[in-house]
Amino acid sequence: MRQLLEITSVPIEIEMRTSRAQLQYTRGTAELEISRDKGGLSIKSRPIQLNMDTFEMRQSVLPSAARSIEQDAQKGRQAAYSATATRAQEGELYLKAKFGQDVQGQIAKTAISTEMYSQPSMKFIPTEAPEVDWNPGEMNIRYEMDKLNFDWRINQTEFEFIPGDIEISIKQRAEVVVKYIGGPIYVPPSSDPNYEPVDVKA
């Protein structure tokens, strides 16, 4: 009896791809930014200041009402003192007078001579000078040169590690192929042109 089936085993087919690990780095970069601050020249000057106070000078020429009252009061006190002294002298003369002495004539003569030889009331005005004060002048000069500002921006070198990779792909799965290699099968068997009856007799 011949073989009717052919059985074939197909093995599995695997493809493997690998990539090596890598260490990559990027180079550092440097950026420079330059800015300028402008300087300049500044001059500040202050002239001489003259301060003049003419209050007392004007009061000596044309005194105010309060100053006039004060001056008149002062003159009144001086006149009272002078009159008191004169009356005291006259009283002393009366006390020391002798019989037959002309005391009143002597007093009148003294008064007339005093008025004749008294100093004339003359004065120059203004009697007070103005008060003068001054502040010295000032000058400040300031000069600043231009300034350059340098701003460095440096990026450091960076390293990047790329790990290895293993890629496995199955191109052919394992399988078993069963193939029928016999001739056609007729049903019923008697329809086969090459049919030979089986003798079952003993």
Side-chain angles (χ1 to χ4, degrees):
M1 186 176 181
R2 64 174 185 169
Q3 185 178 356
L4 299 178
L5 297 176
E6 182 181 8
I7 300 174
T8 305
S9 177
V10 180
I12 188 172
E13 184 179 354
I14 299 175
E15 183 179 4
M16 181 181 296
R17 296 179 181 178
T18 61
S19 59
R20 296 180 179 179
Q22 297 179 0
L23 181 63
Q24 296 181 351
Y25 72 95
T26 56
R27 294 181 179 179
T29 59
E31 298 179 358
L32 174 61
E33 182 177 351
I34 301 176
S35 60
R36 184 179 69 176
D37 297 337
K38 293 184 178 180
L41 175 65
S42 61
I43 300 176
K44 294 182 179 180
S45 63
R46 186 182 64 185
I48 297 175
Q49 294 181 353
L50 181 63
N51 303 319
M52 181 178 294
D53 186 3
T54 60
F55 178 77
E56 293 297 335
M57 184 186 70
R58 287 183 286 106
Q59 289 293 327
S60 65
V61 176
L62 184 62
S64 60
R67 182 64 62 88
S68 297
I69 294 173
E70 182 181 358
Q71 291 176 354
D72 292 342
Q74 182 67 23
K75 291 179 181 179
R77 285 195 296 270
Q78 291 179 356
Y81 294 154
S82 299
T84 302
T86 302
R87 294 295 180 267
Q89 292 176 359
E90 292 177 357
E92 185 178 0
L93 290 176
Y94 279 116
L95 290 175
K96 293 180 179 181
K98 295 180 180 181
F99 184 76
Q101 184 179 357
D102 188 7
V103 177
Q104 293 183 352
Q106 187 177 357
I107 292 173
K109 184 178 179 181
T110 303
I112 293 172
S113 62
T114 303
E115 291 179 359
M116 289 180 60
Y117 293 102
S118 62
Q119 296 293 332
S121 179
M122 180 181 295
K123 61 180 180 179
F124 295 95
I125 57 174
T127 58
E128 299 290 337
E131 296 182 4
V132 179
D133 186 17
W134 61 280
N135 297 326
E138 183 179 357
M139 176 176 289
N140 295 324
I141 300 176
R142 182 178 179 181
Y143 173 72
E144 291 186 359
M145 299 179 61
D146 294 351
K147 296 180 181 179
L148 291 178
N149 301 319
F150 297 91
D151 186 9
W152 287 95
R153 298 178 182 176
I154 301 176
N155 297 326
Q156 298 180 354
T157 302
E158 296 181 357
F159 292 89
E160 182 181 2
F161 175 73
I162 301 176
D165 187 19
I166 300 176
E167 182 180 352
I168 299 175
S169 59
I170 299 175
K171 300 185 67 176
Q172 177 65 48
R173 297 180 180 273
E175 60 181 350
V176 177
V177 180
V178 180
K179 184 178 180 182
Y180 178 74
I181 59 176
I185 299 175
Y186 294 93
V187 180
S190 58
S191 61
D192 185 359
N194 298 324
Y195 175 75
E196 294 178 2
V198 180
D199 189 5
V200 295
K201 292 180 181 182

